[in-house]
Amino acid sequence: MKYMLLLYVPPEGRDHPDAAGMEAWFGYTRALQEAGVLVAGDALQGLEAATTVRVRGGETLVADGPFAETKEMLGGYYLIDVPDLDAALAWAAKVPNAPYGSVEVRPLMELPAEVPA
């Protein structure tokens, strides 16, 4: 089953990691690849690059910034394919930002392969 690991960090923790910090991320990504569970993953640009779009009453509203103000920001994600939630939680506990941020684990909805006409 596929799970999204949503990586949240405090804004002050968003600083670019040094070489040792980056090696932790590269090592984690390599471990996912070697285990054959990595489907996708990316880091996101900072809050200043976010734009939120809403449509209300047929009008499109565009605002700078993230959808909700929180103490943490979404910094990236991994999409993994593992047998069950326990396996997803085990991988989430190893994400390098887990000690200073948080990792939300959310299963993907299983939708039909074909969209109804």
Side-chain angles (χ1 to χ4, degrees):
M1 181 167 196
K2 291 180 181 163
Y3 291 88
M4 183 73 76
L5 307 181
L6 299 166
L7 315 178
Y8 291 93
V9 295
E12 64 275 11
R14 179 69 183 174
D15 294 338
H16 297 289
D18 58 14
M22 286 305 298
E23 184 51 42
W25 286 101
F26 296 149
Y28 180 74
T29 301
R30 275 193 302 274
L32 290 170
Q33 290 170 330
E34 290 169 4
V37 301
L38 180 64
V39 176
D42 284 298
L44 300 176
Q45 293 189 22
L47 297 175
E48 68 283 354
T51 304
T52 300
V53 175
R54 295 180 178 93
V55 177
R56 300 290 186 268
E59 182 180 352
T60 300
L61 308 171
V62 179
D64 292 339
F67 171 69
E69 297 215 11
T70 65
K71 293 183 179 179
E72 295 183 319
M73 61 180 243
L74 181 61
Y77 72 92
Y78 284 103
L79 178 60
I80 62 174
D81 191 355
V82 293
D84 54 36
L85 178 60
D86 288 339
L89 296 176
W91 280 109
K94 298 175 185 174
V95 174
N97 77 305
Y100 61 89
S102 60
V103 180
E104 179 180 338
V105 178
R106 198 180 299 186
L108 269 62
M109 292 179 69
E110 295 190 23
L111 300 173
E114 293 187 27
V115 178

